[in-house]
């Protein structure tokens, strides 16, 4: 049996951590909503418009 050493060996995957944070934000928004979140609400929670504006892209 192999056990990972204790201390200082944690690997951080910044993309995975960001995705986990976004999922948490969606869960919080969904639990606070009275009904299903609209696509616009989801985009707002995920800050899609801000990211799109920063990259100069357009939707659709």
């Amino acid at each position: 049996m192999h056990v990972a050493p204790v201390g200082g060996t944690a690997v951080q995957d910044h993309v995975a951590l960001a995705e986990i944070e976004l999922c948490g934000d969606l869960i919080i928004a969904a639990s606070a909503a009275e009904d299903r979140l609209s696509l616009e609400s989801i985009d707002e929670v995920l800050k899609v418009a801000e990211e799109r504006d920063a990259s100069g892209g357009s939707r659709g």
Side-chain angles (χ1 to χ4, degrees):
M1 182 164 118
H2 176 52
V3 178
V6 176
T9 61
V11 176
Q12 290 192 3
D13 184 338
H14 298 287
V15 173
L17 292 174
E19 289 177 356
I20 292 167
E21 184 176 352
L22 290 173
C23 287
D25 291 345
L26 278 175
I27 291 168
I28 291 167
S31 66
E34 293 181 15
D35 202 3
R36 288 182 160 195
L37 293 177
S38 67
L39 293 177
E40 292 79 17
S41 296
I42 294 170
D43 284 352
E44 184 178 327
V45 170
L46 298 178
K47 299 177 177 78
V48 172
E50 293 172 19
E51 196 62 32
R52 191 179 314 115
D53 291 343
S55 67
S58 64
R59 185 178 189 184

